[in-house]
Amino acid sequence: MHRSILIASVFFISVFLGCSPKSGSSDEIIYLSEEDLPDPIQLTGKKYEIEEITNPRGLLLIDDFILVYEQKNIYDNKFHVIDKKSGNFLRSKGKDGMGPGEITVISQIEEAKESGKVWAYDPEIRKFSKYDLRDSSLLAEEEFRSPETSFFLTELTWTKNQSLFGGAVDGMTKYLHLTREGDTLHLMGNWRDHVKSWGLPNGYQPEDLDANLISSIFQGPIKSSPNGEMVVKAGMSVDYIDIINLDGYHTKTIIGPSPELQHFDIGYSMNYQMPDFGMNSTLRYLDVYSGEKTFFVLFFGKPYRELSNPDNLNRVFEFDYEGNILNQYQLDMPVYGIAVDEENKVIYGVTVDREPNLVRFEY
């Protein structure tokens, strides 16, 4: 692998930007090609038959539970609590609505750092909702909304000391680290510097692209490690992974296995530039799991319309936090989201086949 110098379903939260130190575009790029990948380890999935799961989008492992959350078209019962040991369905949570304790859609669930409790994020009404997994109520027990200001974050994740970290969309700053109240802890990176590492189509130059267009190109899943000190962000339309160390705010960027930007044209929506990738665009990294010492990314590499196509199924790449590729796992079922039980060596996923459900792969 070659090394040189460098300095991402989206959901939004508006936050207050205070004065804080700002890091520039530094750190490291790691180029990864198909030839750099280890030989694939073939994994055979064991699918669950939990009838309450209808149209799953993602999942979380916490304590003795597996949580599976549903796509937007599901009303009540937004996510399901499953006993990890037995595989039995326990209960569903989440009442549809915009009233107290209600939620309209879940884009991500993360641990609340309290036993048996999680935060679910609703991007439509910009609200975090805390749920107790052990009670039978559909309603959240606590919730808070983001401050109403003019700045927006994407792909937000909880980090150390119950702070938040995410990518910005309406300015050239890439990432912001902030408190739950919206006070800025740190600003990181520059979108225009970031895009300079890529060849642009149609003869576009970095100065031709607005910040929201660049950030849209590089949108994707983001997850923090269990101790909240490391953050991993991957591209859904671009083959890149940012590994962000919040202790010192250093970034390593993995580019690959394809080093090329997909072709896009500049389109406009409500007078804002937006990338138009066309009908033949492919999805790249669909999900991320950040573990104690390593992290896992779910790679797709096909058009969205081929999500359930049995040919060229998902692969999972495992890296350490230095950016070294450790393992490549070939799945035998199409999945849309993953979570990993590192202690018991199990990768869980949610399938996108004719009968979507939870699946487990022992590795």
Side-chain angles (χ1 to χ4, degrees), residues 89-315:
F89 168 82
L90 298 177
R91 62 190 62 88
S92 294
K93 309 282 286 184
K95 181 175 176 57
D96 187 73
M98 294 186 289
E102 299 175 343
I103 193 166
T104 64
V105 62
I106 294 175
S107 58
Q108 192 159 318
I109 296 182
E110 296 191 284
E111 293 188 41
K113 304 304 180 184
E114 301 176 50
S115 179
K117 296 186 180 184
V118 295
W119 287 110
Y121 184 69
D122 184 334
E124 295 193 344
I125 54 179
R126 303 194 310 275
K127 182 172 74 172
F128 286 94
S129 300
K130 183 188 286 186
Y131 291 90
D132 187 334
L133 304 178
R134 295 184 172 92
D135 71 34
S136 60
S137 174
L138 291 179
L139 299 173
E141 68 171 26
E142 181 184 339
E143 57 190 13
F144 72 93
R145 298 177 188 266
S146 60
E148 291 291 339
T149 64
S150 59
F151 293 89
F152 294 91
L153 288 176
T154 67
E155 304 103 6
L156 200 68
T157 188
W158 289 93
T159 53
K160 59 183 181 180
N161 302 321
Q162 286 292 281
S163 57
L164 298 163
F165 188 92
V169 298
D170 58 347
M172 283 301 168
T173 298
K174 279 180 65 179
Y175 296 123
L176 291 88
H177 190 199
L178 60 149
T179 68
R180 159 176 167 165
E181 293 74 26
D183 297 323
T184 302
L185 298 171
H186 202 81
L187 312 179
M188 289 188 69
N190 182 286
W191 281 122
R192 188 150 286 152
D193 288 342
H194 183 77
V195 80
K196 288 178 181 177
S197 299
W198 305 82
L200 295 173
N202 298 331
Y204 296 142
Q205 298 300 313
E207 54 269 23
D208 298 328
L209 310 181
D210 292 343
N212 64 284
L213 182 140
I214 301 174
S215 62
S216 294
I217 293 172
F218 292 96
Q219 289 171 0
I222 186 170
K223 299 286 176 62
S224 63
S225 61
N227 63 10
E229 295 181 355
M230 302 296 296
V231 175
V232 178
K233 162 84 175 293
M236 190 167 282
S237 298
V238 182
D239 287 16
Y240 90 103
I241 303 165
D242 272 352
I243 308 169
I244 303 153
N245 188 338
L246 298 183
D247 184 11
Y249 296 100
H250 302 299
T251 303
K252 293 177 183 284
T253 299
I254 300 171
I255 295 178
S258 172
E260 306 293 333
L261 275 183
Q262 297 191 70
H263 179 88
F264 68 89
D265 296 309
I266 297 178
Y268 289 86
S269 175
M270 300 177 66
N271 295 321
Y272 288 98
Q273 285 187 354
M274 294 297 293
D276 180 359
F277 287 105
M279 295 295 295
N280 295 319
S281 65
T282 62
L283 295 176
R284 312 311 292 175
Y285 290 106
L286 296 183
D287 205 2
V288 168
Y289 172 82
S290 297
E292 294 282 355
K293 296 181 178 180
T294 68
F295 66 89
F296 300 73
V297 288
L298 177 64
F299 185 76
F300 187 56
K302 295 192 296 184
Y304 179 83
R305 63 181 178 273
E306 297 182 20
L307 267 175
S308 300
N309 191 319
D311 296 328
N312 188 25
L313 292 171
N314 308 74
R315 292 178 285 167

Side-chain angles (χ1 to χ4, degrees), residues 3 34-35 37 40 59 80 90 95 138 174 205 240 319 321 329 351 355 361:
R3 296 175 183 261
E34 287 285 351
E35 289 71 29
L37 296 172
L59 65 164
H80 313 290
L90 298 177
K95 181 175 176 57
L138 291 179
K174 279 180 65 179
Q205 298 300 313
Y240 90 103
F319 297 86
Y321 284 106
Y329 302 104
T351 68
E355 297 179 352
F361 303 90

Side-chain angles (χ1 to χ4, degrees), residues 9-48:
S9 162
V10 174
F11 59 107
F12 295 91
I13 177 173
S14 54
V15 298
F16 172 76
L17 292 182
C19 295
S20 68
K22 181 172 181 177
S23 69
S25 57
S26 57
D27 308 313
E28 186 177 1
I29 294 182
I30 301 168
Y31 289 96
L32 177 74
S33 69
E34 287 285 351
E35 289 71 29
D36 295 318
L37 296 172
D39 291 338
I41 300 170
Q42 304 290 328
L43 301 186
T44 301
K46 297 180 180 178
K47 196 173 183 182
Y48 292 64

